[in-house]
Amino acid sequence: MSLRVFILAGEPSGDRLGGALMAGLKQLQPGVSFEGIGGALMAEQGLVSRFPMDELSVMGLAEVLPKYRHLKRRIRETAEAVLETNPDVLITIDSPDFSLRVARLVKARSSIRTVHYVAPSVWAWRPKRAVRMAEVIDHVLALLPFEPPYMEAAGMACDFVGHPVVAESQATDAEVAAFRAEFGLGAAPFVLALPGSRRSEVARLAPDFGAALHRFTAAHPDFRIVVPAAAPVAGLVQETLQSWPAGTVLVDPNKIEAAAAKAHKRAAFAAADLALAASGTVSLELAAAATPMVIAYKFQWLTWQIMKRMALIDTVTLVNLVSETRVVPECLGPECTPETIAGQLAALAADPGAQLAAMQLTMQRLGQGGEAPGLRAARAVLERLPGK
C-alpha cells in the first residue's frame, strides 16, 4: 500500500522546504501520494493545493485582523480535509499560527501521526511553546543541530535534518566577474547592504544604514555599496537610496527574469568584501558565501524592552549560535546607530578574516557536504513512522 501524506506550508520558505521534502519522499518511497496546501515548488512535486498558499502569507497584527475570520475558516476546512483523507502522516511546515492550530483540531478527533518541520526557537525565548506543541505534534524536523534536546525534553521525537542553506548553489568565478562587469564595479571592493525584506524593516533600518555607510565610505573611499533588494520592497529601497552614498548600486529583481535575479543575488553575495545586514537567516546565506558581516537591527521600544527581559541567549545571529562563537558583531536596539555600525564596519574591514573559520564551521554543522536536507528530512519521516 502506498504512503499517503497530507502536507501543508503557509509561506515561500515553507514551500521550499516542502518541495525538497516531497522530492525526497518520492525518491525513497515510490508511489507516495500527496494532499495539502503549498506553493509553486510543492506543485512541481505533484501537489494540487486545496487553496492558494498566498492566503496564509500574512504577518503582523494589522495584516491578520482583517482576515481573521477567513483564516479561522481555512484552519477548520484544512483540518476537516485531513480527517477526511485520513493520511498516514500529516506534515506541517513552519507557519505555527496556522499549522499547529490545524494539528490541534486533527489530534482532537484522531490519532493521525503529526510531523512539524522547523522547530520553534525555544532556545531563544518562550520555552513553554515546546510543551504546548508536544500536545499535538509527534515528531519534529529541526534545522539547527542544537535543537533536538529541547524538543525531546518536551516529549516529542526530533531529528536534525540539516539547513536548506547548505543545498543552495553558490556563484562561480565567471558569474562573479559578469556581475561586476554588468554593474560597473570593476575590481573595487564593496559592502553588500541588506536592510531587510519587509517594508517595516526597510523603513526602520535604511536611514541608519545609509548614514553609517556615509561615515564608512568617507574613511574608505575605495569601497562601493551594493544593495540587492528583495522583490517586495525594491521600490521602497530605491526611494531610500537617494540619501545614501553616491554611486550606490541597486540590484532590482523586479526588472529581470526570476532565474537571472537569483543569479545576481548569488553573485552579489559571493563578490562582496563585507556585508551590513538586518538580523535574520540572511546571516547563514552570507556565511555560505563566506562574506564577513555586521548584523544590525532596530526594534520598536516596547519590543526591545520585552526582548531584553525574555531572551535566553546573548546573541541573535545564527552564525554565532551554531559556531558557538561571538565573532559576528551585532548592533541591536539602542546600539543600532550610524556611529556604532560604521565603527564595526571599519573594524571588520581591517580584519575580515576573523569570521571565516566560524562561517565554515557553521556550514559544516548545518550539514554541508552531507545528504541533502530534503532527502534527510524524508528519511527521518519514514524511519519514525509506526511499524518501521
Side-chain angles (χ1 to χ4, degrees), residues 162-245:
H163 196 286
V165 71
V166 303
E168 296 290 331
S169 59
Q170 298 299 313
T172 64
D173 291 343
E175 288 174 327
V176 168
F179 175 82
R180 282 185 167 278
E182 181 174 349
F183 289 94
L185 295 166
F190 70 84
V191 178
L192 193 71
L194 302 157
S197 58
R198 298 174 190 148
R199 295 187 65 85
S200 58
E201 287 178 330
V202 173
R204 273 201 307 273
L205 297 176
D208 287 327
F209 276 31
L213 291 167
H214 269 294
R215 288 172 174 266
F216 176 76
T217 53
H220 301 79
D222 52 332
F223 269 84
R224 300 282 302 277
I225 312 299
V226 175
V227 187
V233 295
L236 177 59
V237 170
Q238 187 168 25
E239 292 174 15
T240 66
L241 294 189
Q242 295 175 13
S243 61
W244 282 38

Side-chain angles (χ1 to χ4, degrees), residues 19-143:
L21 172 56
M22 290 171 68
L25 287 170
K26 287 164 67 175
Q27 180 177 333
L28 298 176
Q29 192 79 20
V32 61
S33 62
F34 300 103
E35 293 273 354
I37 300 148
L41 297 177
M42 292 167 72
E44 287 179 9
Q45 298 301 323
L47 181 71
V48 178
S49 187
R50 287 180 169 260
F51 56 82
M53 185 188 72
D54 293 350
E55 291 187 20
L56 306 178
S57 298
V58 292
M59 299 191 66
L61 190 62
E63 291 84 0
V64 170
L65 280 177
K67 300 181 179 180
Y68 180 68
R69 289 186 179 179
H70 179 70
L71 288 172
K72 282 195 70 174
R73 184 169 71 251
R74 286 305 198 194
I75 290 168
R76 291 194 303 271
E77 289 175 0
T78 304
E80 290 295 334
V82 176
L83 292 165
E84 181 181 343
T85 305
N86 191 29
D88 297 297
V89 60
L90 165 64
I91 302 175
T92 57
I93 306 173
D94 213 357
S95 303
D97 289 339
F98 176 77
S99 58
L100 295 184
R101 283 177 167 83
V102 171
R104 188 169 294 279
L105 293 175
V106 169
K107 277 296 191 183
R109 294 168 54 189
S110 76
S111 59
I112 293 171
R113 182 167 181 78
T114 52
V115 177
H116 190 68
Y117 199 172
V118 183
S121 52
V122 297
W123 38 268
W125 71 310
R126 291 173 56 199
K128 291 183 180 179
R129 284 178 292 166
V131 175
R132 291 194 295 272
M133 185 169 155
E135 297 170 356
V136 299
I137 296 297
D138 301 308
H139 179 198
V140 179
L141 305 175
L143 303 185

